[in-house]
Amino acid sequence: MLRPNDIVAVALSGGKDSVTLLRILWKLERRFPLARLIALTVDEGISGYRSEAISMSKEVCDQLRIEHVVVSFDQLFGITMDDVAGRQNELQPCSYCGVLRRKALNEGARRVGATKLATAHNLDDEAQTALLNVMHGDVERILQDSQTNTKAPASFIPRIKPLAEVPERETALYAYASAAPFQTIPCPHGHNALRGDIRVMLNRLELKHRGIKHTISRSIERLSETAEGTTRRRAFQACKLCSDPTPNDICEACLMLRTFKAEAGAMYRPVL
Ligand code: SF4
Ligand code: ZN
């Protein structure tokens, strides 16, 4: 996943998984003098939640002497998640948040000159995402989200998920054992998310059928590998509004932002 001279932007939300990932990469990085770590936090604009996470992230970075950069939805897109959640939308807040956070992380990583973007998705996240994509019937995303997808365009900072095979219980154990500060309160906009229901269901299944999360996650990988030879993935092109790579004319983030702004009677000006 990494080269000895990589500049690694680590997505640091302030939760246990990202704090664990940062600490592990920090330990590894000390053995590679040419490598550099930069912690990257996205402020989605969620009052009573994100400011605590940002101050905890800062505390961890100060302890480890790692540069900490914060990019915000407000600064990049002119909206906050509180704005999104406060309106009647077709989609749940988390659907907007996921797409916009992905764009914000890519933009932040590009701005700090990162050669890799490390995210703290664990095995539970991977298995949940796999089932979510199946439940949404989103075949293209199943193939794109796969860890073995090597077709991401060069203008995306390559993403790595070092904890993708580590169960959430183990990242939590590591975080508690390392006594690092991390945020434990839940996001106020996440209560209706389908992901939460899938999480509960998978945890129940895992108790009865050990290893089922690994099996689901690996099935998606195998599906993607099999599809590689049998289907033609759509080629990426530059988004007509922001120039980010997308399989469509306009990227998902620009579509969401343009619609959201139009409904509020405002013009959408993409980040370029
Ligand atoms: Fe965003 Fe949903 Fe996570 Fe809250 S729970 S930070 S709205 S993805
Ligand atoms: Zn775009």
Side-chain angles (χ1 to χ4, degrees):
M1 288 186 191
L2 292 164
R3 290 168 191 270
N5 58 350
D6 263 332
I7 300 170
V8 186
V10 184
L12 180 68
S13 68
K16 59 182 177 358
D17 298 321
S18 61
V19 169
T20 293
L21 176 64
L22 187 69
R23 290 188 81 85
I24 292 171
L25 289 180
W26 171 74
K27 285 187 180 174
L28 289 175
E29 185 241 10
R30 286 183 295 171
R31 289 197 252 138
F32 296 93
L34 297 179
R36 213 173 122 214
L37 285 184
I38 301 166
L40 188 57
T41 300
V42 177
D43 179 358
E44 303 93 343
I46 303 172
S47 32
Y49 173 69
R50 190 44 86 202
S51 51
E52 184 193 61
I54 291 173
S55 70
M56 284 178 169
S57 300
K58 186 175 177 322
E59 200 181 325
V60 175
C61 291
D62 286 349
Q63 276 175 10
L64 304 179
R65 296 173 188 269
I66 294 173
E67 183 185 349
H68 183 217
V69 174
V70 180
V71 289
S72 73
F73 280 9
D74 194 16
Q75 172 199 84
L76 292 174
F77 313 128
I79 63 163
T80 66
M81 274 312 296
D82 286 344
D83 296 335
V84 174
R87 296 216 345 228
Q88 279 293 342
N89 296 303
E90 201 183 313
L91 303 171
Q92 294 286 339
C94 295
S95 301
Y96 289 90
C97 192
V99 170
L100 298 182
R101 192 183 320 110
R102 192 185 284 236
K103 187 170 176 68
L105 281 173
N106 197 55
E107 182 60 29
R110 201 157 40 199
R111 287 183 184 185
V112 299
T115 54
K116 297 275 163 59
L117 171 60
T119 64
H121 294 93
N122 58 39
L123 174 68
D124 294 54
D125 298 323
E126 294 298 300
Q128 290 159 18
T129 301
L131 288 188
L132 261 176
N133 288 337
V134 169
M135 285 181 188
H136 285 140
D138 201 339
V139 178
E140 287 199 345
R141 182 153 280 166
I142 291 172
L143 302 183
Q144 271 173 31
D145 281 353
S146 148
Q147 291 168 56
T148 52
N149 176 17
T150 53
K151 300 275 159 129
S155 46
F156 266 145
I157 309 296
R159 281 180 176 236
I160 57 169
K161 300 183 202 172
L163 304 180
E165 293 187 5
V166 182
E168 187 176 316
R169 290 169 63 148
E170 291 181 20
T171 61
L173 183 63
Y174 187 97
Y176 280 109
S178 64
F182 60 87
Q183 190 177 41
T184 52
I185 58 166
C187 169
H189 305 316
H191 52 280
N192 282 330
L194 177 57
R195 182 179 286 274
D197 296 331
I198 293 177
R199 182 172 194 241
V200 172
M201 180 186 81
L202 278 175
N203 285 342
R204 242 187 245 142
L205 283 172
E206 181 74 30
L207 277 178
K208 275 181 85 175
H209 309 281
R210 285 275 165 218
I212 202 159
K213 290 176 189 170
H214 275 106
T215 308
I216 292 171
S217 179
R218 285 196 190 130
S219 299
I220 294 298
E221 296 308 312
R222 285 214 294 274
L223 190 65
S224 182
E225 283 161 18
T226 309
E228 185 77 36
T230 55
T231 65
R232 203 162 48 85
R233 285 179 178 163
R234 278 199 282 165
F236 280 85
Q237 55 187 313
C239 166
K240 290 208 161 82
L241 297 180
C242 74
S243 303
D244 269 1
T246 169
N248 305 307
D249 284 351
I250 297 177
C251 74
E252 212 176 351
C254 281
L255 275 179
M256 277 182 174
L257 288 164
R258 194 174 63 174
T259 309
F260 191 84
K261 296 264 177 179
E263 283 168 3
M267 274 282 286
Y268 167 50
R269 289 192 183 81
V271 187
L272 289 171

